[in-house]
């Protein structure tokens, strides 16, 4: 099946914190309905080590990746129920500016949903988050071929 004809794409997201250094990562991995890899984005940043902040940033990155891939019908999946709840309820608090940006950006899509999925179904995104800790700081895109651990 051609990815362009697939209705909804799933973007799995995750964040990770370095054990020793003051750095974190957040990422998004996009696949079509046949599980074909379509693209990924991973960001490594210094000084951000709050796990919930990194999870919230991963949702924002998923929206950016979907815009980069020019697709209008997306489903973003995460193993972080708290951030999903915050998005659905438009919560204020520590991450309110990120949640507000996610909410505003999601309106650019014809359909955008946020769902909870346990770690077992989110292994590729979790693997990418851990791998990104070993990369240089900044955004790392994979739009043509996945890294070997994402196949």
């Amino acid at each position: 099946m051609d990815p362009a004809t697939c209705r909804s794409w799933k973007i799995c997201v995750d964040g990770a914190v370095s054990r020793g250094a003051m750095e974190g990562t957040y990422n998004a991995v996009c696949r079509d309905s046949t599980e074909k890899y379509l693209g990924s984005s991973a960001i490594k940043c210094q000084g951000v080590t709050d796990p919930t902040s990194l999870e919230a940033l991963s949702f924002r990155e998923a929206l950016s990746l979907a815009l980069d891939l020019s697709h209008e019908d997306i489903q973003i999946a995460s193993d972080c129920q708290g951030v999903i709840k915050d998005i659905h309820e438009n919560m204020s608090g520590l991450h309110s500016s990120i949640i507000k940006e996610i909410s505003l950006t999601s309106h650019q899509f014809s359909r955008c949903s946020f769902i909870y999925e346990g770690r077992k179904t989110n292994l590729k995104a979790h693997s990418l988050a851990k791998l990104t800790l070993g990369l240089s700081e900044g955004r790392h895109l994979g739009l043509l071929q996945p890294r070997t651990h994402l196949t």
Side-chain angles (χ1 to χ4, degrees):
M1 178 180 280
D2 179 29
T5 63
C6 290
R7 191 156 195 256
S8 184
W9 290 354
K10 182 190 278 185
I11 304 174
C12 293
V13 299
D14 202 13
V17 178
S18 167
R19 292 185 192 261
M22 293 295 294
E23 58 193 18
T25 68
Y26 52 96
N27 69 80
V29 178
C30 183
R31 295 183 181 277
D32 69 14
S33 61
T34 67
E35 291 293 311
K36 180 180 176 185
Y37 173 89
L38 300 172
S40 62
S41 178
I43 296 179
K44 180 178 177 180
C45 52
Q46 296 292 322
V48 181
T49 58
D50 174 58
T52 307
S53 294
L54 292 165
E55 293 286 349
L57 288 166
S58 71
F59 281 87
R60 188 182 74 183
E61 188 57 27
L63 294 168
S64 294
L65 179 61
L67 290 170
D68 289 344
L69 295 170
S70 299
H71 197 64
E72 291 289 318
D73 185 350
I74 60 170
Q75 182 179 66
I76 301 174
S78 171
D79 61 5
C80 186
Q81 286 180 316
V83 173
I84 294 169
K85 181 181 177 199
D86 289 349
I87 293 168
H88 287 156
E89 296 176 4
N90 202 18
M91 297 296 288
S92 60
L94 181 60
H95 315 292
S96 63
S97 60
I98 301 168
I99 299 301
K100 184 174 183 175
E101 183 180 352
I102 290 166
S103 178
L104 291 171
T105 305
S106 71
H107 295 298
Q108 295 181 35
F109 298 90
S110 61
R111 193 167 82 167
C112 178
S113 60
F114 304 94
I115 63 166
Y116 169 78
E117 289 189 343
R119 175 67 55 91
K120 286 184 179 181
T121 60
N122 203 25
L123 291 176
K124 299 295 184 186
H126 181 71
S127 174
L128 180 59
K130 295 294 184 184
L131 174 77
T132 306
L133 288 169
L135 299 177
S136 60
E137 191 172 349
R139 187 175 193 219
H140 303 271
L141 284 173
L143 298 178
L144 299 175
Q145 292 287 327
R147 296 181 187 270
T148 56
H149 68 282
L150 294 177
T151 56

